[in-house]
Amino acid sequence: MDYKKVSIEITPFQEWLREVLTAQLADIGFDSFVDSEMGFDAYIPASEYHKGELNEVLNEFSEDFCFDVKSELIEDQNWNEEWEKNYFKPLVIANECVVRAPFHTDYPKLKYEIVIEPNMAFGTGNHETTSLVLESILQNDMSGKSVLDMGCGTGILGIMASMKGADKITAIDIDKWSYEGSQENAKLNNIQNLAVKLGDAKLLNDESYDVIFANIQRNVLLNDLPAYNHVLNNGGILIMSGFYKEDIPAIKTKAESLGLKDAGFKEKNNWVAYSFKK
């Protein structure tokens, strides 16, 4: 999948505005963000990029701020692998799990150890949404459960569920690198009960799951919630992340309209992981 990288510098720089802009760009399809000193880099599948939509977001603040915008096409490749190799450090989750890359040698020995070949920003646990869902997995009983991981990234959530005793895991992502990376990482961690599929919620038919993770972005979650609910067993749990605290009302309203019950949420740096029970 080709990506569009859009670099935005904000003058005068305000951190609150960076947070607002990244939230609004996520609503129009941008799915990865990397902070810079005076702004941020935003990434979006090239087929979904529309300059007019970007300008509409920036124009809301153009009276008080100036924006230096540069864009470039990144052809189909493991486009942020170098970024991850440079910045991905061993990560400790809830003092129970360490997430590391194969090249790491200095890391704590904990109950669970996940080895991830870094290849995408939202898959190594360093992003708040991934770490929040990992914490939720550690706190929930996965023994014997059937699990669905939507937007699986590097497969880290399914791997953690397997280590916690899940019986069968299905991992789905629309990105080719995620599809291939999840398969590689499952082998790297000797996980044999994780099946990876390339696609989206249209792949969900009449199968059923006890636990569903969906770490995607707000609009996709709102659109696909009925599909998740359809395949979630009674008594099952749905854990969603990939959105901001201010998106909670929309997510909660949609979930409860489908009969799902609020099971609480976690927050980290304004990102949220929200759990619902059926």
Side-chain angles (χ1 to χ4, degrees):
M1 183 187 299
D2 293 346
Y3 265 76
K4 197 82 169 181
K5 174 185 176 182
V6 179
S7 300
I8 300 175
E9 287 194 1
I10 305 167
T11 306
F13 175 73
Q14 294 289 328
E15 186 170 350
W16 67 265
L17 181 56
R18 175 166 63 191
E19 293 181 0
V20 169
L21 290 176
T22 54
Q24 293 190 6
L25 293 185
D27 286 341
I28 61 172
F30 286 82
D31 59 20
S32 303
F33 303 94
V34 180
D35 291 347
S36 61
E37 184 176 354
M38 297 295 293
F40 59 94
D41 297 332
Y43 298 85
I44 184 172
S47 61
E48 297 180 20
Y49 175 69
H50 302 286
K51 187 176 181 180
E53 292 182 347
L54 172 64
N55 289 338
E56 284 183 16
V57 172
L58 298 180
N59 286 341
E60 292 183 31
F61 307 94
S62 59
E63 290 188 7
D64 301 309
F65 298 91
C66 294
F67 302 102
D68 181 17
V69 181
K70 298 177 181 177
S71 64
E72 64 176 297
L73 179 68
I74 302 177
E75 295 183 355
D76 189 19
Q77 59 179 299
N78 208 335
W79 53 270
N80 58 352
E81 181 177 4
E82 193 61 31
W83 182 85
E84 285 290 357
K85 285 187 175 179
N86 288 331
Y87 295 99
F88 174 27
K89 309 300 181 185
L91 179 71
V92 173
I93 305 292
N95 292 318
E96 283 191 82
C97 175
V98 60
V99 183
R100 68 175 182 86
F103 50 79
H104 288 140
T105 56
D106 184 16
Y107 55 90
K109 302 297 188 273
L110 297 175
K111 183 176 182 180
Y112 301 103
E113 179 182 318
I114 299 177
V115 181
I116 294 294
E117 188 67 61
N119 65 4
M120 64 182 300
F122 279 80
T124 61
N126 280 275
H127 192 274
E128 289 88 343
T129 60
T130 311
S131 62
L132 284 168
V133 181
L134 285 171
E135 290 176 12
S136 297
I137 295 172
L138 287 168
Q139 293 172 358
N140 281 277
D141 179 19
M142 296 289 148
S143 300
K145 301 292 179 65
S146 55
V147 173
L148 171 65
D149 180 7
M150 293 298 303
C152 61
T154 52
I156 186 173
L157 301 180
I159 291 169
M160 182 76 263
S162 179
M163 290 182 175
K164 282 272 293 178
D167 178 52
K168 180 181 179 182
I169 303 108
T170 300
I172 297 176
D173 204 295
I174 64 171
D175 185 78
K176 182 185 71 173
W177 293 110
S178 297
Y179 170 74
E180 295 175 352
S182 293
Q183 292 177 316
E184 293 170 2
N185 287 321
K187 292 179 182 178
L188 194 59
N189 289 274
N190 196 30
I191 302 298
Q192 300 178 3
N193 60 342
L194 191 155
V196 188
K197 297 181 179 181
L198 181 63
D200 57 19
K202 296 183 182 69
L203 294 176
L204 303 178
N205 295 308
D206 295 324
E207 55 273 60
S208 60
Y209 302 93
D210 301 312
V211 182
I212 299 176
F213 317 130
N215 184 14
I216 315 180
Q217 56 116 329
R218 172 186 180 273
N219 289 349
V220 175
L221 293 173
L222 291 172
N223 183 72
D224 292 348
L225 252 167
Y228 305 155
N229 185 55
H230 177 70
V231 297
L232 183 64
N233 289 329
N234 290 331
I237 185 168
L238 167 63
I239 304 172
M240 292 181 289
S241 194
F243 56 92
Y244 291 99
K245 189 175 181 180
E246 46 266 34
D247 297 319
I248 285 178
I251 296 291
K252 178 179 170 68
T253 298
K254 182 69 173 182
E256 291 182 338
S257 75
L258 297 168
L260 296 169
K261 298 179 180 179
D262 189 330
F265 66 88
K266 297 175 178 291
E267 178 194 353
K268 184 181 293 184
N269 296 331
N270 206 42
W271 293 95
V272 173
Y274 213 139
S275 298
F276 292 88
K277 289 186 178 180
K278 185 171 181 179

